[in-house]
Amino acid sequence: MNSIDRRSVLLAGLGAAGAGALAACSGSSGAADRATALVKPSDPAVAAAEKKRTSTGKVHKPTLTAAPAMLDLGGGVMAKSWAFDGRTPGKELRVSAGDTVAAELSNQLPNRTATSIHWHGLALRNDMDGVPPATQTAVRAGSTFTYRFIADTPGTYFFHPHVGVQLDRGLYAPLIVEDPKEPLSYDEEWVVVLDDWVDGVTGTPDEVFAELRQGMGGMDMGGHDSGGHDMSGMGGMDMSGDGGGASASPSSSGDGMSMRFMLMGAESELLGGDAGDVKYAYHLINGRVPADPEVYTGKPGRRVRLRIINAGGDTAYRVALGGHRMTITHTDGFPVEHQRTDALLIGMGERYDVLVTLGDGVFPLVALAEGKNATGLALVRTGSGRAPKATVRPKELDGTIVTASKLRAADDVRLSPKRTDRVHRVELTGGMTKYNWAINGKAFDMSDPTAAPLMVEEGQRVRLDFVNRTDMWHPMHLHGHTYQLGGSGPRKDTAIVLPKKKLSVVFDADNPGQWMLHCHNAYHGEAGMMALVAYRA
């Protein structure tokens, strides 16, 4: 039984034990904190916070069936995977701000596999956040669970499992919360979901993780014992780049270590060096391979809002629409001061909304897998013309590129100046040598989730100082809240922390409970780069 199977069994069996652990006395700031009880997901403070949310009274009741599926990715590519209701991305869930979601998850996964749904980016009630064992018991195979919460914040979100590396299968779908007082003026919308794909084509995410967990300590790294990948001593590698950049051959290296999935030599200046760990067979836009892309049909002159979601496991994308400039209006659901750009960089878990005014013709929407020499592709057709090749690289990809650090929060969502009540230093540690990704040098312990929480109190202004000690970038995601980058940067729930850099973010502790803080690289998070942000009772 591999580590992921063991974890699924553990999660499925925690039940009452998990609920009891939530009340454990623990902390990260000494004996005083360790002697303090935490707010549990079932506590009255959580229900009280939910009552404060504005409700329309309208209830949406989708059924989401997680089950094995044979997915048609286009171009004759079939993938045996897991998906919601037999498709990937899953069917879009669209509600209006203040509506209640009452979504029933039906777990029909094989091999007694437990699962959950995390509603990524939403500040919802803690007991519906979908994180076993911290906020719920994992949903056993053959069982159902109903997630019920008010979605009161407009924006572009998505949902996915929070068990093992299930995120890197087909189990995800967009969640759009519309603003009944929408201030933006546009004619149409197009939801664009990006994903890096391995499952059922070259292997499974479990197999990818098992290989990565071996680490690179036994390999000749040219004397570089670090979190990055060095190309020294890597003779015999397939450098063709087919399907996702340079990679080792499927055979083993000299020490017997499997090299089917580990990606070598992926470098990006935008990401500060090493771009990623995993060689993917394809990069998808809305579940389609570049050889057979989705086509958005519109009319010249129409203004379209693109809601771009990166649902990938290990890939940042540089996104551009050939022949067009984009105006960035939102990131992670929150408005920003509008900024024109040729391209944008989007890490795993991030979302960006942009406006484009369509030209006349056929145009490629390209998601360049940053540092991996591969692309995802969709087409915009507003008139006659021949479709570009699957490998098209529009010049906009090399034009002005906006990252989150260049954006400012819109005036109405910018946090008011306030004294910081609590500061947590969040050191990102580990590397590829031992594949020992962690926070503050300690891998998160799923069997004891409240062992070392980052403590906060309701009403506090909290600052998190992300200090990246590693040679890789990490998209750091905070559940249940949005933070602000610096004093006036954008409001986000997921932000890229570059290698050897520090990023400070602030948020208001206004949503009681226990919340995960983790790297949204599926494999880094599963290896242990997670922590718990917990409210003192």
Side-chain angles (χ1 to χ4, degrees):
M1 184 181 293
N2 68 32
S3 61
I4 295 195
D5 292 332
R6 286 198 300 272
R7 180 179 170 187
S8 295
V9 171
L10 168 67
L11 292 174
L14 270 167
L22 297 172
C25 298
S26 56
S28 63
S29 302
D33 277 347
R34 285 194 293 274
T36 303
L38 310 180
V39 172
K40 300 187 297 295
S42 58
D43 276 357
V46 172
E50 182 74 350
K51 285 185 178 180
K52 294 178 183 178
R53 305 186 202 280
T54 302
S55 173
T56 63
K58 184 174 182 179
V59 182
H60 301 261
K61 298 181 177 180
T63 297
L64 303 168
T65 302
M70 185 62 73
L71 302 173
D72 183 356
L73 305 183
V77 179
M78 303 298 293
K80 185 178 181 182
S81 184
W82 301 344
F84 290 120
D85 306 304
R87 52 179 284 185
T88 195
K91 183 180 179 181
E92 172 189 299
L93 177 56
R94 186 173 286 257
V95 304
S96 189
D99 290 356
T100 295
V101 174
E104 182 183 81
L105 167 62
S106 174
N107 180 3
Q108 302 300 322
L109 296 178
N111 304 321
R112 302 175 64 184
T113 301
T115 192
S116 72
I117 294 179
H118 168 56
W119 308 89
H120 183 107
L122 279 183
L124 77 178
R125 55 181 300 150
N126 189 222
D127 54 352
M128 295 292 124
D129 194 42
V131 181
T135 64
Q136 72 168 107
T137 304
V139 181
R140 298 172 185 264
S143 299
T144 63
F145 181 87
T146 298
Y147 293 89
R148 188 180 181 93
F149 56 88
I150 297 171
D152 66 343
T153 306
T156 301
Y157 307 98
F158 72 119
F159 54 92
H160 60 79
H162 219 282
V163 173
V165 289
Q166 293 178 13
L167 166 67
D168 217 14
R169 295 183 186 264
L171 291 164
Y172 57 85
L175 170 59
I176 308 302
V177 182
E178 294 183 326
D179 188 343
K181 300 178 181 179
E182 179 58 63
L184 284 183
S185 174
Y186 56 92
D187 303 305
E188 302 165 10
E189 277 195 17
W190 184 22
V191 178
V192 175
V193 184
L194 315 176
D195 192 21
D196 41 19
W197 195 271
V198 65
D199 196 34
V201 178
T202 54
T204 69
D206 290 7
E207 291 170 339
V208 173
F209 186 63
E211 179 180 308
L212 293 173
R213 287 288 281 179
Q214 298 178 57
M216 303 181 73
M219 300 181 66
D220 176 9
M221 296 302 294
H224 293 264
D225 184 20
S226 70
H229 301 170
D230 187 88
M231 297 304 294
S232 303
M234 296 305 296
M237 290 177 54
D238 170 15
M239 297 297 292
S240 66
D242 291 345
S247 71
S249 65
S251 60
S252 298
S253 62
D255 62 355
M257 177 177 156
S258 168
M259 289 293 294
R260 291 174 60 202
F261 307 109
M262 191 177 291
L263 179 65
M264 304 298 298
E267 294 289 330
S268 164
E269 288 187 17
L270 279 178
L271 296 174
D274 194 344
D277 299 341
V278 182
K279 180 184 181 182
Y280 285 94
Y282 298 102
H283 295 275
L284 310 180
I285 296 184
N286 289 346
R288 307 291 293 183
V289 299
D292 189 6
E294 176 175 273
V295 179
Y296 180 86
T297 303
K299 295 182 178 179
R302 301 280 280 181
R303 201 177 199 200
V304 179
R305 178 181 189 168
L306 278 67
R307 297 179 181 264
I308 306 170
I309 301 166
N310 185 349
D314 179 74
T315 308
Y317 291 99
R318 190 188 308 194
V319 180
L321 177 60
H324 295 74
R325 298 200 84 204
M326 304 183 289
T327 300
I328 298 175
T329 63
H330 295 72
T331 181
D332 293 0
F334 279 72
V336 297
E337 293 182 356
H338 290 191
Q339 186 158 332
R340 297 261 288 169
T341 187
D342 296 308
L344 60 84
L345 179 71
I346 179 169
M348 298 84 76
E350 290 188 291
R351 293 91 60 211
Y352 281 88
D353 292 21
V354 304
L355 293 176
V356 295
T357 301
L358 298 181
D360 188 0
V362 184
F363 306 97
L365 178 72
V366 175
L368 174 67
E370 186 64 28
K372 295 186 176 184
N373 191 31
T375 53
L377 175 69
L379 299 179
V380 174
R381 180 178 286 278
T382 63
S384 61
R386 180 178 297 178
K389 293 181 179 180
T391 54
V392 62
R393 301 280 178 94
K395 62 181 177 60
E396 286 80 6
L397 289 171
D398 297 313
T400 302
I401 304 169
V402 166
T403 60
S405 62
K406 299 178 181 178
L407 297 172
R408 287 174 55 88
D411 289 343
D412 58 339
V413 298
R414 188 175 301 134
L415 293 181
S416 59
K418 182 181 176 182
R419 180 180 61 85
T420 299
D421 302 302
R422 194 71 181 258
V423 177
H424 283 292
R425 183 179 175 91
V426 183
E427 291 198 3
L428 312 180
T429 58
M432 286 296 296
T433 303
K434 298 181 180 178
Y435 214 79
N436 56 345
W437 306 110
I439 288 179
N440 293 331
K442 184 175 178 60
F444 189 75
D445 184 357
M446 280 289 170
S447 66
D448 190 7
T450 59
L454 305 175
M455 296 292 293
V456 301
E457 294 181 31
E458 190 169 3
Q460 287 184 332
R461 171 66 58 85
V462 181
R463 191 178 87 218
L464 303 176
D465 291 336
F466 295 115
V467 181
N468 189 349
R469 296 294 189 192
T470 80
D471 290 332
M472 291 193 72
W473 66 287
H474 303 284
M476 297 304 298
H477 174 51
L478 174 63
H479 290 210
H481 305 75
T482 60
Y483 48 64
Q484 181 169 288
L485 274 59
S488 60
R491 296 280 302 277
K492 291 179 66 62
D493 53 72
T494 310
I496 291 173
V497 186
L498 295 174
K500 306 301 183 183
K501 300 293 185 182
K502 176 182 175 181
L503 176 68
S504 293
V505 304
V506 293
F507 70 93
D508 289 328
D510 56 6
N511 197 14
Q514 300 184 21
W515 305 99
M516 295 304 303
L517 172 68
H518 65 95
C519 177
H520 219 269
N521 181 308
Y523 301 97
H524 293 183
E526 179 63 7
M529 192 173 272
M530 294 188 179
L532 192 72
V533 174
Y535 283 63
R536 179 181 282 108

